[in-house]
Amino acid sequence: MKYKAIIFDLFGTLVDVFSRQEYERVLAEMVSILRAPYDEFYKIWMQTASQRVIGIFSNIEENIEYICRELRISITDNQLKQARQVRLNFVARSLTPKKDAIEVLSFLKSKGCHTALISNCSTEPPVLWPNTLFAPLIDVAIFSSTA
Protein backbone atom coordinates (compact mmCIF):
# COMPACT_ATOMS: atom_id res chain seq x y z
CA MET A 1 0.00 0.00 0.00
CA LYS A 2 1.34 3.41 -0.99
CA TYR A 3 0.12 5.28 2.10
CA LYS A 4 1.05 4.43 5.66
CA ALA A 5 -1.64 6.55 7.30
CA ILE A 6 -4.86 8.30 6.41
CA ILE A 7 -6.56 11.08 8.37
CA PHE A 8 -10.34 11.39 8.27
CA ASP A 9 -12.82 14.06 9.27
CA LEU A 10 -15.94 12.92 11.09
CA PHE A 11 -19.00 14.92 10.02
CA GLY A 12 -19.56 14.81 6.28
CA THR A 13 -16.88 12.15 5.78
CA LEU A 14 -17.47 9.18 8.07
CA VAL A 15 -20.97 10.23 9.15
CA ASP A 16 -23.59 12.39 7.49
CA VAL A 17 -24.01 15.98 8.55
CA PHE A 18 -27.13 16.09 10.71
CA SER A 19 -30.28 17.65 9.30
CA ARG A 20 -31.10 21.21 10.34
CA GLN A 21 -34.71 20.13 10.96
CA GLU A 22 -33.70 17.43 13.46
CA TYR A 23 -31.16 19.78 15.07
CA GLU A 24 -33.88 22.37 15.69
CA ARG A 25 -36.34 19.72 16.88
CA VAL A 26 -33.79 18.57 19.48
CA LEU A 27 -33.21 22.15 20.63
CA ALA A 28 -36.98 22.62 20.93
CA GLU A 29 -37.17 19.48 23.08
CA MET A 30 -34.35 20.75 25.29
CA VAL A 31 -36.04 24.15 25.60
CA SER A 32 -39.31 22.47 26.57
CA ILE A 33 -37.58 20.50 29.32
CA LEU A 34 -35.82 23.62 30.59
CA ARG A 35 -38.95 25.77 30.26
CA ALA A 36 -36.92 28.38 28.43
CA PRO A 37 -38.04 30.80 25.71
CA TYR A 38 -37.09 29.14 22.42
CA ASP A 39 -35.94 32.20 20.47
CA GLU A 40 -33.69 33.50 23.25
CA PHE A 41 -32.28 30.06 24.03
CA TYR A 42 -31.65 29.41 20.32
CA LYS A 43 -29.86 32.75 19.90
CA ILE A 44 -27.44 32.12 22.77
CA TRP A 45 -27.03 28.47 21.76
CA MET A 46 -25.88 29.59 18.30
CA GLN A 47 -23.67 32.33 19.79
CA THR A 48 -21.89 29.74 21.96
CA ALA A 49 -21.29 27.25 19.12
CA SER A 50 -17.63 28.17 18.73
CA GLN A 51 -17.15 27.91 22.50
CA ARG A 52 -18.54 24.35 22.40
CA VAL A 53 -16.16 23.42 19.58
CA ILE A 54 -12.99 24.81 21.17
CA GLY A 55 -13.70 23.39 24.61
CA ILE A 56 -14.57 26.53 26.56
CA PHE A 57 -17.43 24.46 27.95
CA SER A 58 -15.98 21.19 29.21
CA ASN A 59 -19.33 19.44 28.79
CA ILE A 60 -22.83 20.10 27.50
CA GLU A 61 -24.14 20.71 31.00
CA GLU A 62 -21.87 23.76 31.40
CA ASN A 63 -23.20 25.19 28.14
CA ILE A 64 -26.83 24.64 29.13
CA GLU A 65 -26.24 26.12 32.60
CA TYR A 66 -24.51 29.15 31.04
CA ILE A 67 -27.45 29.81 28.73
CA CYS A 68 -29.95 29.43 31.56
CA ARG A 69 -27.96 31.88 33.71
CA GLU A 70 -27.91 34.35 30.82
CA LEU A 71 -31.69 33.97 30.50
CA ARG A 72 -32.11 34.13 34.32
CA ILE A 73 -33.85 30.78 34.34
CA SER A 74 -33.54 28.47 37.32
CA ILE A 75 -33.37 24.80 36.41
CA THR A 76 -33.29 21.65 38.48
CA ASP A 77 -30.66 18.95 38.28
CA ASN A 78 -33.30 16.69 36.77
CA GLN A 79 -34.08 19.19 34.00
CA LEU A 80 -30.37 19.52 33.26
CA LYS A 81 -29.94 15.74 33.11
CA GLN A 82 -32.95 15.36 30.82
CA ALA A 83 -31.81 18.12 28.45
CA ARG A 84 -28.31 16.63 28.40
CA GLN A 85 -29.71 13.22 27.53
CA VAL A 86 -31.79 14.61 24.67
CA ARG A 87 -28.65 16.22 23.24
CA LEU A 88 -26.51 13.09 23.78
CA ASN A 89 -29.13 10.90 22.08
CA PHE A 90 -29.16 13.26 19.10
CA VAL A 91 -25.38 13.22 18.78
CA ALA A 92 -25.30 9.43 19.19
CA ARG A 93 -27.76 9.09 16.30
CA SER A 94 -25.58 11.48 14.29
CA LEU A 95 -22.59 9.15 14.71
CA THR A 96 -24.16 6.48 12.52
CA PRO A 97 -21.58 5.44 9.90
CA LYS A 98 -22.10 6.46 6.30
CA LYS A 99 -22.58 3.63 3.83
CA ASP A 100 -19.30 1.72 3.41
CA ALA A 101 -17.40 3.79 6.02
CA ILE A 102 -16.79 0.82 8.32
CA GLU A 103 -15.92 -1.41 5.39
CA VAL A 104 -13.35 1.09 4.11
CA LEU A 105 -11.77 1.57 7.54
CA SER A 106 -11.66 -2.20 8.08
CA PHE A 107 -9.99 -2.67 4.71
CA LEU A 108 -7.36 -0.03 5.51
CA LYS A 109 -6.62 -1.65 8.86
CA SER A 110 -6.33 -5.08 7.24
CA LYS A 111 -3.67 -3.63 4.92
CA GLY A 112 -1.68 -2.25 7.85
CA CYS A 113 -2.61 1.37 7.21
CA HIS A 114 -2.79 3.62 10.26
CA THR A 115 -5.90 5.73 10.63
CA ALA A 116 -6.63 8.95 12.45
CA LEU A 117 -9.53 11.28 12.95
CA ILE A 118 -9.49 15.05 13.39
CA SER A 119 -12.84 16.65 14.04
CA ASN A 120 -14.07 20.08 14.99
CA CYS A 121 -16.97 19.21 17.25
CA SER A 122 -18.61 19.86 20.58
CA THR A 123 -17.94 17.81 23.70
CA GLU A 124 -20.46 15.06 23.01
CA PRO A 125 -18.68 13.11 20.23
CA PRO A 126 -15.57 12.47 22.38
CA VAL A 127 -17.79 11.18 25.20
CA LEU A 128 -19.66 8.86 22.83
CA TRP A 129 -16.65 7.90 20.68
CA PRO A 130 -15.53 4.79 22.61
CA ASN A 131 -18.92 3.18 22.00
CA THR A 132 -19.03 3.82 18.25
CA LEU A 133 -18.25 1.33 15.52
CA PHE A 134 -15.38 3.62 14.53
CA ALA A 135 -13.39 3.49 17.76
CA PRO A 136 -11.61 0.17 17.15
CA LEU A 137 -10.79 1.17 13.57
CA ILE A 138 -9.23 4.59 14.25
CA ASP A 139 -5.79 4.60 15.82
CA VAL A 140 -5.83 8.22 16.98
CA ALA A 141 -8.88 10.45 17.40
CA ILE A 142 -8.47 14.18 18.02
CA PHE A 143 -11.47 16.33 18.83
CA SER A 144 -11.24 20.13 18.88
CA SER A 145 -13.34 20.37 22.03
CA THR A 146 -10.87 18.30 24.05
CA ALA A 147 -7.56 19.10 22.34
Side-chain angles (χ1 to χ4, degrees):
M1 179 169 263
K2 182 178 178 180
Y3 300 101
K4 293 182 181 180
I6 298 177
I7 300 171
F8 293 89
D9 185 23
L10 184 56
F11 293 100
T13 304
L14 296 177
V15 302
D16 287 321
V17 176
F18 48 81
S19 77
R20 185 60 144 180
Q21 183 179 16
E22 185 180 8
Y23 184 81
E24 290 178 356
R25 184 191 59 73
V26 166
L27 281 178
E29 189 175 349
M30 291 169 62
V31 164
S32 175
I33 291 166
L34 300 167
R35 296 188 183 108
Y38 181 84
D39 291 339
E40 291 89 346
F41 188 93
Y42 184 86
K43 179 181 176 185
I44 299 172
W45 179 265
M46 297 310 284
Q47 289 172 345
T48 58
S50 62
Q51 293 168 299
R52 282 191 298 281
V53 171
I54 63 172
I56 298 294
F57 299 110
S58 63
N59 56 51
I60 193 63
E61 294 94 322
E62 284 184 10
N63 193 187
I64 293 169
E65 289 173 321
Y66 170 82
I67 294 171
C68 289
R69 278 194 309 275
E70 288 294 304
L71 296 174
R72 294 186 170 92
I73 296 171
S74 296
I75 59 170
T76 66
D77 288 342
N78 190 46
Q79 286 173 295
L80 181 61
K81 287 177 188 174
Q82 287 179 19
R84 173 190 183 269
Q85 195 59 52
V86 166
R87 173 70 181 180
L88 278 176
N89 291 345
F90 165 68
V91 175
R93 288 189 306 274
S94 299
L95 295 178
T96 300
K98 285 177 96 170
K99 184 181 185 306
D100 299 328
I102 297 300
E103 183 180 339
V104 168
L105 290 170
S106 296
F107 172 78
L108 292 171
K109 295 297 283 180
S110 74
K111 297 296 181 187
C113 186
H114 296 285
T115 55
L117 173 88
I118 299 177
S119 182
N120 60 329
C121 62
S122 59
T123 58
E124 299 90 334
V127 169
L128 298 166
W129 182 255
N131 298 318
T132 67
L133 296 173
F134 299 112
L137 300 171
I138 299 288
D139 297 313
V140 176
I142 300 171
F143 301 98
S144 62
S145 59
T146 59

